[in-house]
């Protein structure tokens, strides 16, 4: 007997799930195009060194790796930003900037699968390349908000931070790279107990320890930025706070400020972020719906420096909380008459907006009505033949 199972962490999408997925993709793509973003498609797999050059060596444990016949080590794409950075550095060296791209893609990560986390999952997202500053970041964040609104989500928040605050605080602290990575991971997980334990064992300024320990719980409005006293002692962190303020103010102009909170615990896991970072959440799900940020050095790793910012939205997770579905077209089963008349009538009904399933088995009216009863809201159109050879619609 053939094995009917599929690999762990993958899944089949049934018709209702596909409808939700396509609905999200359609609405997101329409919104992105309205802002001047154009769709791009990249290969499903890249050379492993391309992925690691962009996302960092720590990502290798999550990669699906294989070898081609020439001996090259390849990786299924674990996300899209690195691929688009490579695309931009390869094809848009002489382009007028900024470039605005969007994508609809499946990506792969060798993670422990559970609800809302699969090894193959789908993303939609945008990348704004060649533009720096608060206004560019605000455009990307505001599109993230409007995307969630366009697809029917009402109760959500975007948590906003500037990774330069964290990096600035640790600059000159004497911590080695491994200690910094440990601190960063614990802040992201909001593991206050483990964070306090690690900080206790470090030989750094006590005021800095206190500030770092507070980062995971500092979230709210702009008042959060006034509760980081040690920032004043670091020029880089102070500059990052100023940049975050400018982005926050621009978001008020865009009219999306009610969905934004400042959260010092949002640092994002990938190594390429250099500035603003953000994540989107819904109370209905304990996982992030979307994430993004600024990555000014990523494209340069592929030979052509340009600033960039963007975000990706996870379709699988969003589908779990999405309530509003696209209105279903009216449905009918069409039978009776001869083939030519059925085809002509089916075309007429489809032009009027109906979803038409035409009988190809020669079923009676009663059999069609029984089948229609299994499809909510579906009606039967049956073409009788009168004595003059004309169709009579039943």
């Amino acid at each position: 007997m053939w094995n009917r199972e599929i690999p762990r962490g993958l899944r089949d999408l049934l018709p209702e799930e596909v409808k939700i997925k396509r609905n999200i993709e359609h609405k997101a793509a329409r919104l992105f195009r309205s802002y001047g973003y154009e769709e791009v498609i990249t290969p499903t797999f890249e050379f492993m060194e391309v992925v690691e050059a962009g996302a960092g060596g720590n990502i290798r444990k999550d990669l699906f790796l294989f070898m081609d016949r020439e001996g090259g080590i390849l990786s299924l794409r674990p996300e899209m930003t690195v691929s688009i950075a490579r695309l931009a550095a390869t094809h848009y060296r002489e382009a007028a900037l900024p470039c605005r791209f969007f994508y609809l893609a499946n990506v792969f990560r060798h993670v422990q699968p559970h609800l809302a986390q699969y090894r193959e999952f789908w993303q939609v997202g945008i990348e704004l390349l060649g533009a720096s500053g608060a206004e560019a970041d605000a455009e990307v964040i505001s599109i993230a908000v409007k995307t969630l609104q366009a697809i029917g989500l009402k109760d959500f928040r975007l948590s906003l931070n500037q990774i330069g605050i964290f990096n600035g605080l640790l600059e000159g602290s004497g911590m080695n790279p491994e200690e910094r990575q440990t601190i960063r991971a614990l802040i992201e997980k909001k593991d206050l107990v483990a964070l306090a334990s690690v900080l206790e064992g470090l030989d750094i300024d006590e005021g800095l320890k206190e500030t770092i320990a507070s980062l995971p719980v500092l979230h709210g409005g702009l008042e959060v930025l006034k509760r980081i006293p040690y920032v004043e002692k670091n020029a880089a962190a102070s500059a990052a706070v100023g940049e975050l303020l400018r982005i926050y103010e621009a978001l008020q102009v865009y009219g999306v400020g009610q969905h934004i909170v400042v959260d010092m615990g949002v640092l994002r896991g990938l190594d390429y972020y250099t500035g603003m970072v953000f994540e989107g959440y819904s109370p209905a799900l304990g996982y992030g719906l979307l994430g993004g940020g600024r990555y000014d050095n990523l494209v340069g790793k592929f030979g052509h420096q340009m600033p960039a910012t963007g975000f990706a939205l996870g379709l699988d997770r969003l589908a779990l909380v999405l309530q509003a579905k696209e209105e279903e077209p009216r449905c009918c089963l069409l039978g009776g008459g001869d083939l030519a008349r059925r085809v002509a009538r089916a075309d007429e009904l489809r032009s009027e907006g109906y979803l038409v399933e035409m009988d190809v088995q020669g079923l009676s009216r009663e059999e069609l009505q029984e089948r229609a009863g299994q499809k909510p809201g579906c009606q039967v159109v049956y073409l009788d033949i009168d004595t003059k050879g004309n169709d009579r619609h039943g």
Side-chain angles (χ1 to χ4, degrees), residues 38-52:
E38 299 178 295
E39 185 176 5
V40 292
I41 299 174
T42 68
T44 306
F45 49 89
E46 302 264 7
F47 285 111
M48 182 187 71
E49 55 262 37
V50 168
V51 175
E52 290 192 330

Side-chain angles (χ1 to χ4, degrees), residues 274-293:
T274 59
M276 172 277 298
V277 288
F278 67 99
E279 295 178 345
Y281 298 92
S282 166
L285 189 68
Y287 304 94
L289 298 175
L290 61 84

Side-chain angles (χ1 to χ4, degrees), residues 24-144:
I24 296 171
E25 290 174 337
H26 172 72
K27 291 181 176 179
R30 184 169 56 192
L31 177 68
F32 298 159
R33 290 191 183 99
S34 75
Y35 279 80
Y37 288 76
E38 299 178 295
E39 185 176 5
V40 292
I41 299 174
T42 68
T44 306
F45 49 89
E46 302 264 7
F47 285 111
M48 182 187 71
E49 55 262 37
V50 168
V51 175
E52 290 192 330
N58 290 333
I59 201 170
R60 182 178 296 195
K61 62 180 174 33
D62 293 336
L63 299 181
F64 280 93
L65 300 174
F66 59 100
M67 185 175 291
D68 64 18
R69 294 184 178 181
E70 290 76 41
I73 301 178
L74 308 176
S75 168
L76 293 177
R77 59 192 180 202
E79 49 97 73
M80 286 297 295
T81 302
V82 170
S83 294
I84 292 181
R86 177 200 50 74
L87 175 150
T90 304
H91 300 284
Y92 289 86
R93 289 174 176 266
E94 307 300 326
L97 300 177
C99 296
R100 289 177 166 87
F101 299 133
F102 79 89
Y103 56 84
L104 317 168
N106 57 336
V107 294
F108 307 83
R109 293 191 189 179
H110 200 289
V111 295
Q112 185 66 28
H114 53 75
L115 179 65
Q117 180 167 288
Y118 305 100
R119 290 178 173 175
E120 179 186 20
F121 53 100
W122 280 261
Q123 293 183 334
V124 301
I126 64 172
E127 311 293 350
L128 175 54
L129 302 116
S132 58
E135 290 189 17
D137 286 335
E139 174 178 299
V140 166
I141 298 168
S142 66
I143 292 174

Side-chain angles (χ1 to χ4, degrees), residues 16-25 27 30 147-155 282 284 315 318-328:
E16 286 303 316
E17 295 171 302
V18 173
K19 287 177 186 177
I20 294 174
K21 177 178 179 292
R22 296 301 186 205
N23 182 31
I24 296 171
E25 290 174 337
K27 291 181 176 179
R30 184 169 56 192
T147 302
L148 294 177
Q149 292 174 328
I151 58 186
L153 199 62
K154 295 180 173 60
D155 188 10
S282 166
L315 297 189
L318 187 60
L320 294 175
V321 297
L322 189 62
Q323 298 299 318
K325 296 182 181 179
E326 192 169 21
E327 184 178 345
E328 293 286 347

